[in-house]
Amino acid sequence: DAKTTQPTSMDCAEGRAANLPCNHSTISGNEYVYWYRQIHSQGPQYIIHGLKNNETNEMASLIITEDRKSSTLILPHATLRDTAVYYCIVRSGGAGNMLTFGGGTRLMVKP
Amino acid sequence: GAVVSQHPSWVICKSGTSVKIECRSLDFQATTMFWYRQFPKQSLMLMATSNEGSKATYEQGVEKDKFLINHASLTLSTLTVTSAHPEDSSFYICSPQGNEQFFGPGTRLTVL
């Protein structure tokens, strides 16, 4: 799977939008972009995934650039409970492939 | 989304003992189960992939005789850490194969 690059950490004010960037410049045509987060001492939580179109669900929005070399996860109104490590993962098409985790971004939401 | 449970959620054991961790997919039939471990302040690392009714495949550097995986049914996979040592202390997480790939809540193992 292609590797991803994310900032190590970010801060965000409570109530503001949190925009988490991810670079995946070597992504190939059949690879999806997945986002997970991990709150301390819990298993990872699925957030959203996409191939090339922007996606939105009840948790977040995923914006993928036209060349698919980068993406941004947007939490529209961050709360203190959104403090977590956020992982951007590129995964080959098909549910059979495992996820390879990088270092992720530690998001700290501050009051 | 899929509901995945793990038992126990945490365990403390003496060095040399064996510990069994159960992973159940409660509303989902998992032909394949991924097992990860996470050391403090590190990311998740894939340990092995188990397939229902067949032998698991292990990642490089993971001893198959030490980490025994059984995937006897589509809803249950177990990981047994045999003769555990302090360096096996970690957070073990299972994840049934699927499009969205949900994860269990994890099992914290501490070996004294």
Side-chain angles (χ1 to χ4, degrees):
Chain A
D1 287 357
K3 291 185 177 179
T4 61
T5 305
Q6 298 178 254
T8 304
S9 64
M10 291 181 62
D11 290 345
C12 176
E14 187 180 19
R16 303 295 294 270
N19 297 292
L20 293 93
C22 179
N23 286 322
H24 30 80
S25 59
T26 60
I27 193 170
S28 61
N30 70 339
E31 291 180 318
Y32 288 73
V33 180
Y34 280 75
W35 282 84
Y36 287 80
R37 71 180 182 185
Q38 187 178 26
I39 296 169
H40 183 63
S41 293
Q42 296 183 24
Q45 178 187 20
Y46 167 82
I47 301 174
I48 200 167
H49 75 282
L51 183 63
K52 52 184 176 181
N53 296 324
N54 297 337
E55 302 288 344
T56 295
N57 62 21
E58 64 278 4
M59 288 184 68
S61 294
L62 172 60
I63 308 298
I64 303 174
T65 58
E66 193 169 341
D67 63 8
R68 302 212 319 127
K69 292 184 177 182
S70 66
S71 61
T72 301
L73 179 74
I74 301 172
L75 307 179
H77 304 287
T79 70
L80 299 179
R81 289 180 296 178
D82 292 323
T83 293
V85 178
Y86 287 77
Y87 296 99
C88 168
I89 301 168
V90 171
R91 178 198 199 190
S92 298
N97 297 304
M98 85 303 187
L99 296 161
T100 301
F101 286 78
T105 295
R106 184 171 298 277
L107 176 68
M108 179 74 71
V109 180
K110 298 184 175 180
Chain B
V3 180
V4 185
S5 70
Q6 285 186 236
H7 178 80
S9 55
W10 60 270
V11 57
I12 301 173
C13 70
K14 293 183 178 180
S15 185
T17 60
S18 294
V19 175
K20 179 187 282 189
I21 300 170
E22 291 185 350
C23 174
R24 296 182 184 273
S25 53
L26 302 180
D27 59 351
F28 181 85
Q29 292 192 324
T31 305
T32 298
M33 187 73 74
F34 300 112
W35 284 94
Y36 293 81
R37 65 181 169 185
Q38 185 177 31
F39 294 108
K41 299 191 177 183
Q42 295 186 25
S43 190
L44 282 78
M45 294 294 293
L46 181 69
M47 296 177 64
T49 303
S50 72
N51 296 292
E52 188 262 338
S54 63
K55 290 184 178 180
T57 56
Y58 292 80
E59 296 299 302
Q60 191 173 10
V62 179
E63 300 174 55
K64 62 180 174 64
D65 295 329
K66 181 172 183 62
F67 298 98
L68 302 179
I69 292 175
N70 183 281
H71 193 153
S73 77
L74 293 174
T75 58
L76 173 64
S77 178
T78 61
L79 167 67
T80 301
V81 184
T82 62
S83 187
H85 288 93
E87 58 266 30
D88 299 322
S89 297
S90 188
F91 192 50
Y92 292 86
I93 308 166
C94 64
S95 176
Q97 175 198 80
N99 190 37
E100 294 178 344
Q101 205 71 43
F102 294 96
F103 288 79
T107 297
R108 172 82 54 198
L109 170 63
T110 301
V111 185
L112 302 177

